Amino acid sequence: MKNWIQKILILLGVVALTACTTSKSTISNSVNLSKYEYASVINNDMYRIPAELMEYEIMLYDAVENSHLQLINDLRIYELSPSQQEKLLLVKYGVNVKEDETIVTVNFIDYLSGRPVASCRGAYSTLGIAGASHDIRGAIKRVAKQISDTFRN
């Protein structure tokens, strides 16, 4: 009986810890997200995932592309017309891998004003049991859902 109670307490502890791992989106009150049609992922040294993690970068691009936003190469922004540039969001992302959870954040910034308009956060944790690659995949799946929900037409 005592062993059974210990297992329940451990399970409740794990549930409590994983409940702290939340995914969410923050959207500016003064912005109409439906006006945006294009997104360009900032792809420089500061916002680049190391080459050995390229599969995760592919997943991040897919997450943005699976929203209604059309991806534009950052080197081709200047080929867009001024009216298209008004509908363009710059996308910056970050991956924070900790021992207890992994957080992927994708931020959307209005191209013309430089103003952040939305931030989507995906968090996932197996408390180190399944490994970092599993946690990164889980966090990306969660941020993809947040992006989809945020930019749903």
Side-chain angles (χ1 to χ4, degrees), residues 10-152:
I10 290 171
L11 179 63
L12 289 174
V14 169
V15 169
L17 285 173
T18 56
C20 297
T21 303
T22 59
S23 300
K24 65 178 184 172
S25 294
T26 304
I27 303 167
S28 172
N29 292 330
S30 61
V31 174
N32 177 7
L33 292 181
S34 65
K35 83 171 193 173
Y36 295 102
E37 297 178 16
Y38 308 99
S40 181
V41 178
I42 302 297
N43 198 4
N44 59 32
D45 291 334
M46 188 172 188
Y47 296 102
R48 187 178 303 243
I49 291 177
E52 61 272 12
L53 300 177
M54 182 60 73
E55 68 180 287
Y56 304 118
E57 190 167 33
I58 291 168
M59 292 171 73
L60 283 169
Y61 273 74
D62 286 348
V64 173
E65 195 170 45
N66 287 333
S67 68
H68 82 276
L69 300 171
Q70 178 184 341
L71 279 177
I72 304 293
N73 184 300
D74 59 338
L75 301 175
R76 303 192 76 181
I77 290 174
Y78 298 107
E79 295 175 13
L80 296 174
S81 70
S83 66
Q84 289 173 313
Q85 289 178 355
E86 289 178 8
K87 301 172 185 176
L88 174 65
L89 290 170
L90 298 178
V91 181
K92 295 181 181 181
Y93 60 83
V95 178
N96 188 0
V97 178
K98 298 179 188 176
E99 202 172 296
D100 57 335
E101 73 177 344
T102 298
I103 299 170
V104 175
T105 306
V106 181
N107 298 309
F108 297 87
I109 301 157
D110 182 89
Y111 174 71
L112 291 180
S113 70
R115 184 186 194 292
V117 297
S119 180
C120 299
R121 175 185 188 264
Y124 192 83
S125 177
T126 59
L127 300 174
I129 296 169
S133 65
H134 182 75
D135 286 0
I136 292 172
R137 275 192 182 89
I140 290 173
K141 285 180 183 177
R142 288 191 175 171
V143 80
K145 180 173 180 353
Q146 292 299 315
I147 292 168
S148 177
D149 291 349
T150 300
F151 289 96
R152 186 177 340 140

